[in-house]
Amino acid sequence: MTTEETKHRVLTGDTPTGRLHLGHWVGSVEKRVQMQGDYDCYFLLANMHAFTTRATEPEEIRADTIEIVKDWLAAGIDPERSTIVLQTEVPAIAELSWYFAMLIPFNRIMRNPTLKTEIETKGLGDTYPFGFPMYAVGQCADILAFRPKYVPVGVDQVAHIEVCREVARKFDQVYSGVDPQAEDADYASLGGTFPIPEALVGRVGRLVGTDGDNKMSKSLNNAVFLSDTPKQVKKKINSMYPGQSREPDQPGDPDINPVFMYAETFCDAGLVEEMKDRYRKGDNIGDGHVKAAVIESVNELLEPMRERRTAFDGPEGEKKIIEIIRDGTARANVVAEETLHMAKDAMKLDFGKRSLGWT
Ligand code: TRP
């Protein structure tokens, strides 16, 4: 039997940058919702990371933080079963970040392809703050503070998890006496402070946007949001270019049609096969038909989310969200403080324990 104590832990998080979209859902959020029953789950609001590129926008970051919790709750994250954690109120994360920063070469962080891509796509040039690359070290602390077994993430985050695994191995080797030849799975049983966590990528690593070219992303204006109304969903899907110009009775290629990528992701597999077959043959199937099927399935997915969301609307809703954040963060601090003390003991920083006094 599994109890809270014996369940493996899972940690993942989002930087509050706006609303969640379908790409987040298939890349990671869906998996989180499924994992809640079997794992002790921690979902982190990486609000400190939001300051790495928007330090001048505190109000926006606060609003985005509330909004993302609303999205999580609407999506089916259950605060009774899972723990929602506010990064800035878990001091152990900030402390661990410092120690971990000593264990990873600066150039290794700067070689991280996810950081490099972000610098390019966000146009950060060479004037980004020191804290920007620092977030990659901070992310190691976000994760390891909870000593999780799994980290469910989108494919773009795998490079960060790899850095985290390197830091965990290094810490365990240097401070907990684990043999560098040890297998990752054995670190914990060999006395390591940190088990080596594993990334779990969702069923669709990269969902194309409604422009049919780029990854779905709020900043590219090609996203279907989890909070979109049925009308908005319809409008966005109907505006998609099907990758080719054809009539319903002309043969087409479903493999170059982004609407079919959505069909494969959101519609019943049998229906998709049938539509593809007819599309290839030009068997009286227009693009509107495929779009209508996608619109229906996406709205079916989003409808229960829309309903759950209404419980958190308005100022009363915000109050409830803040309560949920506080409850979760209090629970999270128990675990993170325990980890911090284990790490500091291993580092011979064993000069006594503090009590957090969280209220
Ligand atoms: N960097 C992640 C993102 O932008 C968010 C994040 C912060 C995270 N800390 C984390 C994800 C720890 C997984 C684990 O999406």
Side-chain angles (χ1 to χ4, degrees):
M1 210 185 82
T2 50
T3 65
E4 286 309 315
E5 284 73 41
T6 57
K7 275 183 188 171
H8 287 297
R9 283 196 203 125
V10 164
L11 175 294
T12 189
D14 292 312
T15 308
T17 53
R19 292 167 294 161
L20 294 182
H21 53 59
L22 291 176
H24 294 117
W25 171 255
V26 291
S28 165
V29 178
E30 179 183 38
K31 192 155 208 130
R32 300 180 198 176
V33 172
Q34 292 164 353
M35 291 181 94
Q36 294 185 102
D38 302 322
Y39 295 89
D40 183 16
C41 293
Y42 294 81
F43 301 122
L44 179 95
L45 296 159
N47 61 333
M48 193 182 288
H49 292 193
F51 282 85
T52 63
T53 55
R54 292 187 291 158
T56 54
E57 311 299 333
E59 277 165 23
E60 194 183 292
I61 293 172
R62 187 182 192 281
D64 284 351
T65 304
I66 302 284
E67 197 56 40
I68 208 159
V69 178
K70 213 188 263 188
D71 269 329
W72 284 356
L73 297 168
I77 302 275
D78 173 3
E80 300 284 318
R81 288 190 290 166
S82 300
T83 303
I84 291 179
V85 188
L86 185 67
Q87 190 181 45
T88 48
E89 295 310 324
V90 182
I93 291 175
E95 282 181 61
L96 287 169
S97 300
W98 262 96
Y99 302 131
F100 293 159
M102 322 300 176
L103 298 178
I104 187 99
F106 180 70
N107 290 330
R108 171 69 182 90
I109 293 295
M110 298 315 291
R111 274 201 312 273
N112 179 326
T114 301
L115 277 192
K116 280 193 180 171
T117 313
E118 249 181 297
I119 290 170
E120 262 173 50
T121 56
K122 293 184 180 161
L124 301 181
D126 57 5
T127 59
Y128 51 79
F130 182 77
F132 176 73
M134 181 66 190
Y135 99 68
V137 180
Q139 186 155 343
C140 301
D142 295 339
I143 298 169
L144 296 178
F146 296 90
R147 289 169 284 132
K149 185 171 171 69
Y150 296 118
V151 188
V153 283
V155 73
D156 61 314
Q157 293 295 306
V158 173
H160 284 317
I161 312 308
E162 199 42 57
V163 172
C164 173
R165 288 156 56 82
E166 286 174 34
V167 166
R169 287 187 202 106
K170 184 80 179 186
F171 187 102
D172 286 345
Q173 291 164 15
V174 173
Y175 300 119
S176 310
V178 175
D179 183 336
Q181 304 303 321
E183 298 289 332
D184 284 346
D186 298 334
Y187 269 68
S189 59
L190 292 171
T193 303
F194 298 106
I196 314 303
E198 281 173 54
L200 289 183
V201 176
R203 70 187 167 105
V204 180
R206 177 187 185 277
L207 187 70
V208 72
T210 52
D211 58 3
D213 283 329
N214 298 293
K215 183 181 146 182
M216 188 174 280
S217 144
K218 179 186 142 209
S219 54
L220 295 174
N221 231 332
N222 64 1
V224 177
F225 295 103
L226 301 187
S227 53
D228 276 349
T229 62
K231 255 193 181 163
Q232 285 170 314
V233 171
K234 191 170 176 188
K235 193 166 167 214
K236 288 178 183 179
I237 304 291
N238 275 335
S239 75
M240 287 177 73
Y241 177 61
Q244 57 216 292
S245 165
R246 61 179 277 282
E247 295 298 326
D249 57 354
Q250 285 174 347
D253 182 357
D255 297 332
I256 59 163
N257 183 344
V259 184
F260 268 104
M261 292 185 215
Y262 285 8
E264 273 170 4
T265 310
F266 299 105
C267 299
D268 170 78
L271 173 69
V272 177
E273 276 324 300
E274 185 211 311
M275 288 194 301
K276 274 186 163 182
D277 192 48
R278 286 176 59 197
Y279 202 84
R280 283 196 192 96
K281 291 184 190 144
D283 179 9
N284 192 28
I285 179 169
D287 286 296
H289 182 106
V290 188
K291 286 177 176 175
V294 169
I295 291 166
E296 189 181 327
S297 297
V298 168
N299 274 328
E300 237 166 64
L301 168 71
L302 299 186
E303 195 46 44
M305 298 191 195
R306 293 181 188 121
E307 261 166 48
R308 278 192 293 264
R309 179 183 301 273
T310 57
F312 301 101
D313 280 343
E316 280 308 306
E318 179 167 325
K319 261 196 209 157
K320 283 190 218 164
I321 286 177
I322 291 174
E323 262 318 297
I324 289 171
I325 293 175
R326 293 176 59 85
D327 274 2
T329 305
R331 272 185 274 150
N333 266 320
V334 176
V335 177
E337 286 289 297
E338 184 191 23
T339 305
L340 180 70
H341 287 127
M342 288 165 61
K344 287 171 103 171
D345 280 349
M347 295 175 76
K348 306 292 174 234
L349 296 168
D350 50 348
F351 296 103
K353 287 185 186 172
R354 71 171 178 221
S355 136
L356 207 52
W358 169 274
T359 53

